[in-house]
Amino acid sequence: MSFVVGLCLSLLTLWTPLAAAEPRSPLQQTGRWVDLPPDSDVSQAAPPRHQLNTVSVQPAGGGVLWYELEVTLDEPAELVLDFASSSTLNEFVHRIYDGDNRLLLTLSGGLQQDQDYQYFLRHGRSLNLPAGEYRILTRMESPFYLALPEPHLFDRQDYERRIPLTQSLTLVGLGIFFALMFYYAVMAVWRQSRTDLLYALFILGNLLYNGAALLVYSQLFGWTWFYLISTPILFSNVVYIGFVMRLLRINRDTHPALFWLGMTAIGVLVSFWPLALFAPNWSLEFCRVGVAIFALYGLTCGVARSLQGSKVARLYLFANAAFAVPALLAISMKSTSNPIFLVEHLGMVAVLIEVLLLAQVVSYQIGQVYKARAEGEASLERIQLLDNLTAQAPGVIYQFEMAPDGRFRMPFSSRRIEEYLEITPTEASEDIQAVFDRVHPEDYNDLFASIIQSARHLTTWHIEFRVVLPVQGMHWLEGHAQPERLEDGTTRWYGFISDVTERKQIEEHMRHMAQHDPLTNLPNRALFADRLEQALRSAQRHRTQLALMFIDLDDFKVVNDHYGHELGDELLKQVSQAMTVNLRAADTVARMGGDEFVVLLDDITGPEEAHTVAEKIRHACAQPFQVRQIPMHISTSIGLALYPHDALTDADLIRAADQAMYQAKEAGGNQIRAGSGNYPNT
């Protein structure tokens, strides 16, 4: 923390005189953006003032700009002609004219021009002018402009006194970028941390951008590729979104809304890459939008995760908020009030603030490690004994607390938590949200409600809930804990968590066996009765119709007598499958016993639909079945009854369908009979 404060104070000592210093003797100069007539020849004389139209310009999109600067000197002066607001220029030409509009001097330069820089990290050029009136016409051309680079005259001594502040700020800032990039890169290698790698890449993008925009690379290394000012930011914006998602543990399972918001932001930012390739003069504008996107996404995630109790998120939120204000200001400014201070400096300071404040997160993590180590050394034997004892328990022994303001923490958990939740005891202690992130979304609210209820009434906490683990998948856990109230209002639980997945599976299997026929695996009589009752309630509530079929296999006793019960059972299985495939997913076919089946058709349109389905089943069952390579033939007698056409209660509906089935049986079988006899029989 002291390291971060020291660096911030160092930047402040550079910033304060830079922002507060004023020229010793302000020059009488005025300037305006102008539009030259198409046929103007500025090589010998300046166009008359009345031929120059004052225009309003925007930095977006790049192109050619003209600026007219007028100055009156009461005495000879040593001056420097430089640009205020921005130094991001591909090419410029200054033409200085005297009071008679005669060309006195031409000065040119720019990032991609072969030139000797007179001042380090500036486009400034020295001038010695006698007393008089002067006009300066400056032509600027760039694929894009970071801000509007306004030509400005400075007193040479004042200029040379003040620019070391900007130079120092630039070099210190780039030095910090390089040091932190190297640090995070090394941490990424040794800790095998993708989070550190992503942040190192983000800093690298800003290191390349700031070094290019502030003329460091062009002066020191001769790197003159202009798009080095935009390309790294297009890349680093995407990297930053990934960094935030990993730092704050945002993934598809635990925080789906923030995860998909981040993936959408990444998709938008990646789409800028081909757009910048085909419209390079707009690449910087894509960068501006990208910075706004990732800054707002970072703030959103920081707020959301902070409200969930993450200490890392709170530290990150502070760093991101401190970055967002100057960053959003930098990408929206067209000029600066202090001609020495450039928009590029403000952008660099914004990123510096964030990377320096993020060092607090690292310092906090390292401090927690040292604190835990010191406490561990003081009571090593006691903790080791407790850890060894609890490790033998067939479950997780833990201590859980809820502060008076509603925040949760888990000061202690046994080693079995790694098996039960796939997180370490240290992770559970440092970030309780890592524990809650494992809870199944459908059980999340019930779990929280049970905790609050136990804390409010100091009653035993007991609940069964599901967890979703990255490796093991879904498991059922059962939690028991006894609460107590501490003097400061904190509620503390001492508890035990066991894995009840196997018991839950056995219970589910037993429930299934109790409700299904063991031979065909179809619903049995009890489950069918329950579904019929529910279907009738729904039909009464929504005024819909349903149909009930009783199905009996004709002469099935002959099959059993001739082929034996074992092959008869196989035939029953195939018949049940033939019925099932001709029904909708919402319909039910159940075995009532022996060779009797019943079918429930829910929410039908009328008798015709019910009869059509019955005919499909009759026809399907009439086809030959291959049972252990023996062809078998069977037919069905089907009785059909409709609600509310034939009956209004479940008992009456069953009776009507059963009677209709016996009518079909008595008529020779292999046919369908309706309960009322008012629709066709087959």
Side-chain angles (χ1 to χ4, degrees):
M1 182 67 182
S2 58
F3 170 73
V4 176
V5 173
L7 287 175
C8 290
L9 290 176
S10 298
L11 291 175
L12 184 62
T13 58
L14 293 174
W15 176 288
T16 303
L18 178 63
E22 294 294 337
R24 294 185 305 172
S25 54
L27 300 172
Q28 301 177 25
Q29 55 182 313
T30 57
R32 59 175 180 152
W33 296 98
V34 296
D35 185 16
L36 267 66
D39 57 349
S40 297
D41 181 10
V42 296
S43 60
Q44 298 298 326
R49 291 180 177 83
H50 67 273
Q51 293 184 8
L52 302 182
N53 298 320
T54 302
V55 296
S56 176
V57 297
Q58 297 291 333
V64 176
L65 301 177
W66 286 89
Y67 193 85
E68 179 189 49
L69 182 65
E70 296 181 340
V71 62
T72 300
L73 300 177
D74 297 329
E75 58 185 19
E78 296 180 349
L79 306 173
V80 175
L81 180 57
D82 196 0
F83 292 94
S85 301
S86 176
S87 62
T88 304
L89 272 166
N90 190 45
E91 179 184 357
F92 67 85
V93 178
H94 298 299
R95 291 181 174 87
I96 297 94
Y97 303 91
D98 61 14
D100 297 325
N101 281 345
R102 291 176 300 182
L103 181 65
L104 298 178
L105 185 62
T106 299
L107 302 171
S108 63
L111 265 173
Q112 290 189 307
Q113 306 305 308
D114 185 13
Q115 60 175 314
D116 292 327
Y117 287 91
Q118 188 173 353
Y119 292 97
F120 186 50
L121 308 184
R122 304 293 295 212
H123 290 300
R125 301 299 179 86
S126 298
L127 295 173
N128 292 321
L129 296 177
E133 296 182 353
Y134 298 92
R135 293 178 67 197
I136 302 174
L137 278 180
T138 300
R139 181 186 184 276
M140 293 158 276
E141 183 174 0
S142 278
F144 52 74
Y145 297 97
L146 186 64
L148 294 178
E150 299 180 2
H152 194 87
L153 281 169
F154 300 86
D155 176 81
R156 183 184 301 175
Q157 292 185 5
D158 184 67
Y159 180 82
E160 293 176 351
R161 177 178 63 86
R162 298 170 69 197
I163 62 168
L165 297 173
T166 65
Q167 295 163 342
S168 300
L169 177 64
T170 300
L171 296 179
V172 169
L174 294 182
I176 295 173
F177 280 140
F178 181 81
L180 290 176
M181 180 199 71
F182 181 79
Y183 169 77
Y184 281 110
V186 171
M187 294 292 286
V189 172
W190 287 105
R191 293 172 52 186
Q192 297 291 303
S193 170
R194 293 183 182 178
T195 304
D196 293 335
L197 176 61
L198 289 171
Y199 201 65
L201 291 174
F202 170 72
I203 296 175
L204 175 62
N206 283 275
L207 178 65
L208 293 174
Y209 157 74
N210 282 284
L214 290 165
L215 312 180
V216 176
Y217 301 143
S218 61
Q219 289 197 20
L220 296 182
F221 310 118
W223 299 350
T224 58
W225 187 46
F226 192 81
Y227 294 101
L228 194 60
I229 296 174
S230 58
T231 303
I233 299 301
L234 288 173
F235 172 76
S236 67
N237 288 347
V238 175
V239 168
Y240 189 85
I241 298 291
F243 162 74
V244 171
M245 295 174 71
R246 289 195 64 85
L247 179 70
L248 302 183
R249 295 181 178 178
I250 294 169
N251 58 62
R252 181 168 46 193
D253 296 326
T254 59
H255 304 89
L258 294 177
F259 173 81
W260 288 115
L261 181 62
M263 295 304 295
T264 301
I266 289 176
V268 173
L269 296 178
V270 170
S271 71
F272 290 167
W273 297 354
L275 294 175
L277 183 64
F278 290 104
N281 59 314
W282 286 95
S283 59
L284 189 66
E285 298 310 306
F286 297 140
C287 292
R288 296 181 200 272
V289 176
V291 170
I293 289 174
F294 85 63
L296 293 176
Y297 178 74
L299 287 172
T300 301
C301 293
V303 170
R305 294 291 280 119
S306 295
L307 293 176
Q308 294 172 348
S310 171
K311 180 64 177 293
V312 172
R314 293 193 189 100
L315 293 174
Y316 166 77
L317 181 62
F318 176 71
N320 190 265
F323 156 78
V325 174
L328 296 176
L329 182 63
I331 64 177
S332 61
M333 290 178 63
K334 293 194 298 183
S335 61
T336 59
S337 58
N338 190 321
I340 286 288
F341 182 61
L342 306 177
V343 171
E344 289 91 326
H345 293 132
L346 178 59
M348 183 182 69
V349 168
V351 181
L352 278 174
I353 289 173
E354 181 173 39
V355 298
L356 290 174
L357 291 178
L358 273 176
Q360 292 186 69
V361 180
V362 178
S363 299
Y364 168 75
Q365 293 174 335
I366 294 175
Q368 289 297 105
V369 171
Y370 279 110
K371 181 180 178 181
R373 182 180 300 174
E375 294 176 351
E377 292 174 353
S379 55
L380 181 59
E381 291 185 3
R382 179 177 57 84
I383 293 177
Q384 189 65 47
L385 176 61
L386 178 63
D387 190 49
N388 289 338
L389 289 174
T390 57
Q392 306 307 312
V396 181
I397 297 174
Y398 67 94
Q399 184 186 77
F400 183 78
E401 294 180 352
M402 184 179 75
D405 60 2
R407 288 180 296 147
F408 299 110
R409 60 187 296 264
M410 185 176 285
F412 173 80
S413 59
S414 61
R415 276 181 278 167
R416 282 294 179 94
I417 197 172
E418 297 187 41
E419 175 185 340
Y420 281 51
L421 294 179
E422 294 183 5
I423 59 175
T424 67
T426 302
E427 290 173 333
S429 175
E430 291 182 350
D431 186 5
I432 189 60
Q433 190 59 38
V435 176
F436 290 133
D437 287 345
R438 295 289 193 255
V439 178
H440 194 289
E442 293 180 4
D443 296 345
Y444 201 89
N445 291 337
D446 290 341
L447 179 68
F448 263 94
S450 67
I451 295 173
I452 299 301
Q453 180 75 7
S454 175
R456 182 175 298 154
H457 302 289
L458 290 182
T459 54
T460 300
W461 179 72
H462 176 220
I463 190 173
E464 294 179 351
F465 59 97
R466 291 167 291 175
V467 293
V468 181
L469 308 180
V471 176
Q472 301 177 60
M474 194 191 80
H475 274 240
W476 275 95
L477 301 181
E478 181 178 22
H480 293 267
Q482 191 64 38
E484 67 174 4
R485 191 91 72 213
L486 304 184
E487 292 183 359
D488 63 354
T490 297
T491 305
R492 176 181 293 167
W493 288 264
Y494 300 93
F496 182 80
I497 292 177
S498 57
D499 190 316
V500 294
T501 304
E502 185 175 353
R503 174 168 64 79
K504 282 289 185 178
Q505 291 172 345
I506 293 174
E507 290 176 355
E508 180 61 30
H509 178 70
M510 296 298 293
R511 186 182 302 109
H512 181 86
M513 292 295 293
Q515 296 178 338
H516 289 78
D517 174 55
L519 176 64
T520 62
N521 202 35
L522 293 176
N524 59 16
R525 184 185 298 270
L527 180 56
F528 172 76
D530 181 66
R531 292 189 180 178
L532 176 59
E533 182 181 356
Q534 293 181 24
L536 278 172
R537 287 182 187 149
S538 176
Q540 292 166 358
R541 186 166 55 253
H542 299 103
R543 298 181 181 276
T544 57
Q545 302 181 62
L546 61 84
L548 184 65
M549 298 182 207
F550 260 62
I551 303 172
D552 185 82
L553 304 187
D554 299 329
D555 299 323
F556 182 72
K557 184 177 182 301
V558 176
V559 174
N560 271 341
D561 293 343
H562 184 72
Y563 294 104
H565 288 280
E566 186 176 350
L567 267 66
D569 288 346
E570 289 295 326
L571 178 61
L572 286 175
K573 292 180 183 179
Q574 294 192 27
V575 169
S576 67
Q577 293 173 0
M579 294 180 186
T580 302
V581 298
N582 285 282
L583 297 177
R584 302 168 299 179
D587 299 331
T588 299
V589 57
R591 185 184 179 205
M592 304 299 283
D595 59 350
E596 292 185 350
F597 296 84
V598 63
V599 173
L600 174 62
L601 303 180
D602 194 10
D603 192 13
I604 61 172
T605 57
E608 293 78 10
E609 181 181 355
H611 189 272
T612 299
V613 176
E615 178 58 29
K616 285 182 180 180
I617 293 175
R618 188 196 67 79
H619 180 73
C621 294
Q623 304 303 310
F625 292 93
Q626 290 289 331
V627 181
R628 299 187 184 179
Q629 300 182 346
I630 300 175
M632 293 187 181
H633 296 269
I634 199 75
S635 62
T636 56
S637 296
I638 302 176
L640 184 62
L642 268 70
Y643 168 88
H645 190 70
D646 297 320
L648 298 178
T649 66
D650 52 355
D652 291 342
L653 198 63
I654 291 173
R655 188 178 301 107
D658 189 41
Q659 291 174 354
M661 184 268 289
Y662 276 107
Q663 292 174 11
K665 200 83 169 173
E666 293 172 356
N670 193 25
Q671 56 185 283
I672 303 168
R673 285 296 175 94
S676 65
N678 292 334
Y679 41 94
N681 294 319
T682 301

